[in-house]
Amino acid sequence: MMDLRGDGAGRDGMGWRRWMALAALLFLILSVGVPVARADTGAAGPATAGPPAAGFVVVDGPDLSLGGHLELLEDKGRDLTLADVMSGPAADRFTPATRDTPGFARTHSAYWARVTLDNPTDGTLNRLLVFAYPYYRSLDLYVFSATGTPVERRHVAEGAQARGTDIPHRYPVFTLALPPGRTVLYMRVEHYFASFALYLRTSDAQGLVDRRDILLHGLTFGVLIIAAAYQFALVVMAGVEVGVTLLFYALITLAYIYGQLGYPWEHLPPDLASHYYREVVGTLPVAVGQIFAVQFLDLRRRQPWITRLLLLSTGLLVLDTPLHYLDPAIGSGIAQALALLGSILTLTAAVRDLRRSVNARFFLLGFLPIVGVAVVWSLRAGGALPAAIWTEAALYAPNAIGVVLLTFGVAYRIGKDREERERALEASEAALRRANDELEDRVRTRTAELSDSLEKLKRSQDALVQSEKLASLGQLVAGVAHEINTPIGVTLTAASHVSERVTAIDHLVKDGRLRRSDLTDFMGDLAESSRLMLSNIGRAASLIQSFKQVSADQSSEDRRRVDLCAYMEEVIASLGPNLRRGGHTAEIICQGPVEIETYPGFLAQVLTNFVSNSLLHAYEPGVRGHITITARRLGPGDIPGEGHAGGAQIVYQDDGRGIPAAILPRIFDPFFTTRRGAGGTGLGLNIVYNLVTHRLKGTVTAASEAGAGTRFTLILPDLRGHEVQGDALEATGPGRPHTPDTLVAARMPR
C-alpha cells in the first residue's frame, strides 16, 4: 500500500482507492446483513420455497426443520398475552415465514410463532424441540391439544435454571410427547438477536448432531489450545511483548468460542453464564485483537495516526461493555460498528506495509479469516444465513486458522528478531574486542606514565620531607642563636669592663698614684666580672652542646639509648624562642626515669612538628597557651607486637581551640591543611605519622574536642636488641593506614 505522506502517492493512488472501495463493500455487506427485520418478512436473505402449508407440519421423520413452517407475529410493545395472540385481533396478523431460519437482528420487539404438528401414527411420538440458538432473554413455549386444551407451558429466561429438559445442553431443548393427531405450539421469543432456528428431532437424531458438533468443536478447541501452548513456549523462550498479547488473544478466542456456542449455559451457573456472554463474548476478543495488531505491525513507529485511532477504538469497546447490560441492542450495535472500524484500520495499515514488511503479509494471512468470521456472524445474527452446520463451522474454524497463522507470524518475527540480535551481538562483540585492544594499549601507556609519575612523586615527597626537616633544623638554629646571643653579650660586656679596669690600674701604677683602695676595688670588679664571664660562657657552652646533639640527631639516623625527659628538655629549650615570641610556655612532666633505645633525631623532629603545629593552628593571635608533655615508662606487655623490652608513652597536650570532629580523621593525610596559604604545608603531621610508625616502630593517635585542646599520644617501643626491618610496608604494622610515603616505599597503588 502506498505511503500517502511519501513520493509514491501518485504511483499507488489507484491501489489506495481499491482498498477503500473494498472497505466500503465490507461495510455494505455488514449493513445489509443486520437490518431490523419485521415479522411479516423475516430477515433479509435468500428466500427459500415456502412450506406446503403455513403453520402445519406432519411429523414423519426423525429430524425436521420447523423454521420455514412457522407463522410469525411481531410484538413491538412486548405486551401481547397468549390470549391476545390466540383469539384477539393480533391472532389475524400472523404471517407465514419465508425463510428456513427466521431471524430478527438488533430489535427491541418480542416475536410470537405458532405451528401445528400432526402425528399421523396411532401412538405417541416422543420428540425433542430444539432451539439451535443459545441466547434468549426470554423464551416461552405453550403446548395445546387439537381441541385447544392447554397441555403445558415451558419457560426459559436468561439466567433461569431450567432449559426445558433434565439433560443439560448448550441451547434450549424441550421434550414433547405428541399424541396421535394434532398438537399446536405457541412460542414467544425475546432477544435483540433472536432467531427461530427450530428443529424437531428424535433423541437419536439429536445425539448424532451433538456428536458431530463435539467433533467439530473439539477440533477447533484442540487447534486453539495447541496454538496457545506453542505461543506460550515462544513467550517463555523469547519473552516478547507481542507474543504475550497473542497468547492472551488465543486464550480469549477460546473463551469467545466457548461462549458463542452456548457452553456457559450448560456448564456454569446461570447468572455467571449471563455475565460471561455479555462481558467475554461481547468486546474482549476485538479489543485484544486490535492491541495485537498495533504491536505486531509496529504501528506506533510506522503509522502512529492509525495507532491512535485503533487505541481509541479499543478504549471505546471497553467502555461499551456496560451498555450490554443497559441496552443490549445498542451495546451490540456500537460494538459491531467499532469492530468494523478497527477491521478497516487494521487492514489499511497491513496493506500499506505489505511491500515493506513480512509481518504485514503474515498478519493479513491470519487476519482475513477472522474478518470473515465477523461477516458470517453478522449475516447469521441478522438471519441472512441459517443456523446450519456450515455456518457454525464458518464461525469457529476460521478463528482457529487465523490464530495458527498469526502464531506462525509471531514465531517468524521472533526468529528474525533473534537473528538481528545475534548479528548485533556479533557486531557488539567485535566492537568490544577492538575497544579492549585499544584499552589495553591505553592502559600500558598510562601505566608507564603512572610509573614515571610515581617515581617523580616519590622524589618530590623525599624532597618535601627533607625540606621540612631542614626547616625544623633552621628553626632550631635560629632559636639556639637567639639563646646564645644573651650569654655571649654578657660575657663580652664583662670582658670589656675588665679591660677598662686593667687599663685604669695600669695608669695609676705608672703614675705612682695607686692606692690600696683602688687595688681592692679592682680586685672586686675583676672577681665579679670573672664570675659573670664564667657563668655565661658555661651557659653558652651548654646551649651549644645541646644544639650540637639535637642538630646531629636530626641530621642523622643514629640509634642510641636516651633519657627521654632530659632529651625532650633540650628539644623544648631549643624551641624556646618560638614559644616565648607568642607568650606560650611548655612543661615536661616525667613519671620516674624514662630511658629507652630509639632514634632521638626522629623524636626531636616529631616534637618540633607538634610544637609548630600548635603554634600555627591551636592559638589565636594574642592568646597565650600552655603545652604539656608527659612521659612514662611502659612494660613489655604494654607495647603492641613481639620482641620489645618495654617502651615509653609520650602524651603531647595543648590547650588550644582543638580540631573539629569532621576533619580529625584526616589530619595525618599528606598535604591536608586548614591554613594553606598562611604557613601550612599539610606535611607536618604526615611526617610525624611516617616517622613514628616507620622509623620509631611506634603508634600515634590524636584526640580533640572543640575548645578543649588537642592531645597526641605516642607509644614508642624500646628498640634494644630489636633488629629494624627496612620494609616500609612491614613497618606500618597490621591494620594501620597507608600514606603516600608508605605506599611509594612498598611499590603499591593507593
Side-chain angles (χ1 to χ4, degrees):
M1 192 60 188
M2 67 175 179
D3 188 347
L4 294 178
R5 296 164 294 177
D7 297 333
R11 181 179 67 251
D12 293 335
M14 291 301 295
W16 170 255
R17 285 193 290 272
R18 283 198 301 271
W19 283 106
M20 289 299 295
L22 177 61
L25 179 61
L26 178 62
F27 178 78
L28 180 61
I29 292 173
L30 291 175
S31 300
V32 172
V34 289
V36 178
R38 294 290 182 254
D40 57 344
T41 60
T48 59
F56 184 84
V57 177
V58 177
V59 183
D60 57 358
D63 190 351
L64 298 176
S65 175
L66 304 182
H69 300 275
L70 298 177
E71 293 179 303
L72 304 174
L73 171 65
E74 181 180 7
D75 180 7
K76 293 184 178 180
R78 295 183 293 183
D79 54 359
L80 295 178
T81 64
L82 178 63
D84 294 332
V85 300
M86 289 184 65
S87 58
D92 297 331
R93 297 206 306 268
F94 277 94
T95 58
T98 58
R99 291 155 186 83
D100 190 57
T101 307
F104 317 98
R106 214 174 291 133
T107 178
H108 291 84
S109 300
Y111 286 88
W112 287 85
R114 68 184 177 191
V115 66
T116 300
L117 304 179
D118 181 32
N119 178 5
T121 67
D122 295 332
T124 299
L125 295 178
N126 294 315
R127 291 292 187 269
L128 299 177
L129 184 62
V130 180
F131 285 79
Y133 185 79
Y135 305 108
Y136 292 95
R137 185 182 304 154
S138 177
L139 172 60
D140 294 280
L141 172 66
Y142 303 92
V143 183
F144 294 89
S145 66
T147 61
T149 303
V151 177
E152 60 180 335
R153 178 201 175 198
R154 308 295 292 274
H155 172 74
V156 173
E158 187 176 284
Q161 295 291 339
R163 273 298 193 187
T165 177
D166 295 334
I167 302 174
H169 207 279
R170 60 191 180 93
Y171 40 72
V173 177
F174 298 98
T175 57
L176 296 178
L178 301 176
R182 295 183 178 183
T183 300
V184 181
L185 305 181
Y186 279 86
M187 291 156 282
R188 183 182 183 276
V189 170
E190 190 176 321
H191 192 68
Y192 62 97
F193 272 164
S195 174
F196 281 105
L198 194 60
Y199 299 91
L200 191 66
R201 294 171 178 155
T202 64
S203 297
D204 292 340
Q206 182 61 35
L208 180 62
V209 172
D210 288 340
R211 287 192 295 273
R212 180 197 64 196
D213 290 348
I214 289 174
L215 177 62
L216 174 64
H217 303 161
L219 180 62
T220 303
F221 286 142
V223 171
L224 283 173
I225 291 172
I226 292 173
Y230 179 68
Q231 192 63 40
F232 177 77
L234 290 178
V235 169
V236 171
M237 291 187 294
V240 294
E241 179 184 12
V242 67
V244 176
T245 306
L246 182 57
L247 173 61
F248 185 55
Y249 180 73
L251 296 177
I252 204 67
T253 300
L254 275 169
Y256 161 75
I257 295 177
Y258 177 80
Q260 277 291 90
L261 293 175
Y263 286 110
W265 302 106
E266 181 180 357
H267 300 139
L268 300 178
D271 291 337
L272 181 59
S274 177
H275 290 292
Y276 183 99
Y277 173 69
R278 284 191 172 100
E279 297 172 12
V280 175
V281 177
T283 58
L284 278 180
V286 180
V288 177
Q290 291 180 171
I291 294 175
F292 170 76
V294 170
Q295 295 176 346
F296 187 76
L297 296 175
D298 197 14
L299 296 183
R300 288 190 182 92
R301 181 177 60 87
R302 303 173 74 92
Q303 302 183 53
W305 66 275
I306 290 183
T307 300
R308 289 191 288 269
L309 291 176
L310 280 175
L311 293 180
L312 176 62
S313 173
T314 302
L316 293 175
L317 277 170
V318 175
L319 295 176
D320 176 59
T321 300
L323 282 179
H324 286 269
Y325 288 91
L326 301 176
D327 192 322
I330 295 177
S332 176
I334 293 176
Q336 194 169 355
L338 291 174
L340 174 63
L341 174 62
S343 298
I344 293 174
L345 290 173
T346 305
L347 286 173
T348 300
V351 171
R352 293 186 69 192
D353 273 350
L354 196 59
R355 295 181 181 178
R356 295 178 295 174
S357 172
V358 178
N359 290 340
R361 300 168 199 167
F362 271 109
F363 184 81
L364 280 179
L365 286 176
F367 188 66
L368 286 177
I370 298 175
V371 172
V373 169
V375 174
V376 172
W377 181 83
S378 298
L379 295 177
R380 180 176 172 177
L385 293 178
I389 181 63
W390 65 272
T391 58
E392 190 167 298
L395 283 178
Y396 316 128
N399 269 305
I401 295 172
V403 170
V404 169
L405 292 175
L406 291 176
T407 300
F408 289 155
V410 170
Y412 175 81
R413 173 172 173 171
I414 291 175
K416 294 296 291 185
D417 290 345
R418 177 173 295 179
E419 290 178 2
E420 293 177 1
R421 286 196 300 269
E422 289 176 353
R423 287 195 295 268
L425 181 60
E426 291 175 356
S428 299
E429 290 177 349
L432 183 60
R433 285 193 295 270
R434 291 193 299 270
N436 285 338
D437 294 339
E438 295 175 0
L439 182 60
E440 289 177 358
D441 293 339
R442 292 174 61 187
V443 167
R444 283 193 291 268
T445 304
R446 188 60 177 162
T447 300
E449 294 175 355
L450 289 175
S451 298
D452 294 340
S453 299
L454 189 62
E455 195 64 32
K456 292 178 182 178
L457 178 62
K458 184 179 183 304
R459 291 196 296 269
S460 299
Q461 187 182 14
D462 291 342
L464 287 172
V465 171
Q466 187 66 24
S467 174
E468 189 76 13
K469 292 169 65 176
L470 292 177
S472 300
L473 190 58
Q475 292 180 6
L476 178 63
V477 171
V480 170
H482 184 275
E483 289 293 318
I484 291 177
N485 183 58
T486 299
I488 294 298
V490 171
T491 301
L492 181 60
T493 301
S496 298
H497 178 69
V498 169
S499 176
E500 292 175 356
R501 294 289 290 161
V502 169
T503 301
I505 290 297
D506 183 58
H507 288 163
L508 290 175
V509 171
K510 289 180 178 180
D511 294 339
R513 293 183 291 109
L514 180 64
R515 295 176 299 178
R516 185 180 182 89
S517 59
D518 293 332
L519 183 60
T520 301
D521 291 339
F522 172 73
M523 292 302 293
D525 288 343
L526 183 61
E528 179 64 22
S529 296
S530 297
R531 186 186 63 79
L532 287 174
M533 286 189 291
L534 287 173
S535 173
N536 283 279
I537 288 298
R539 182 182 175 191
S542 176
L543 288 173
I544 291 172
Q545 181 64 28
S546 297
F547 167 72
K548 285 173 60 180
Q549 186 62 57
V550 173
S551 61
D553 287 336
Q554 290 199 25
S555 60
S556 69
E557 297 185 4
D558 292 338
R559 189 175 78 181
R560 63 185 177 86
R561 197 156 191 82
V562 63
D563 182 354
L564 287 184
C565 295
Y567 188 75
M568 289 191 297
E569 290 281 2
E570 294 177 354
V571 174
I572 295 302
S574 67
L575 297 174
N578 292 336
L579 291 169
R580 288 191 293 274
R581 189 180 301 117
H584 307 297
T585 59
E587 179 184 9
I588 307 296
I589 301 175
C590 284
Q591 300 176 5
V594 183
E595 186 175 324
I596 63 172
E597 184 173 322
T598 186
Y599 293 91
F602 295 145
L603 178 59
Q605 187 172 356
V606 167
L607 294 176
T608 301
N609 286 0
F610 278 158
V611 172
S612 298
N613 187 72
S614 295
L615 296 180
L616 181 63
H617 298 285
Y619 302 106
E620 296 288 349
V623 176
R624 296 184 177 182
H626 181 72
I627 296 172
T628 303
I629 304 175
T630 305
R632 69 183 181 93
R633 179 74 184 181
L634 297 177
D638 299 326
I639 299 296
E642 298 179 359
H644 297 297
Q649 179 192 64
I650 300 175
V651 178
Y652 176 92
Q653 174 77 54
D654 66 38
D655 58 353
R657 54 186 166 188
I659 301 174
I663 66 173
L664 184 61
R666 302 178 58 194
I667 61 174
F668 293 118
D669 291 349
F671 308 108
F672 175 77
T673 179
T674 58
R675 299 292 300 274
R676 194 172 304 281
T681 64
L683 285 175
L685 292 181
N686 178 250
I687 291 175
V688 166
Y689 180 83
N690 287 331
L691 290 177
V692 172
T693 58
H694 302 167
R695 305 301 186 183
L696 300 178
K697 306 300 181 184
T699 62
V700 56
T701 57
S704 179
E705 294 181 5
T710 302
R711 181 175 67 256
F712 293 96
T713 302
L714 305 179
I715 303 296
L716 303 180
D718 190 342
L719 301 181
R720 181 178 54 188
H722 181 71
E723 193 67 27
V724 181
Q725 300 293 330
D727 191 341
L729 181 61
E730 181 181 342
T732 62
R736 299 177 185 172
H738 295 298
T739 63
D741 184 60
T742 66
L743 298 174
V744 170
R747 295 294 191 268
M748 292 179 62
R750 185 172 184 179

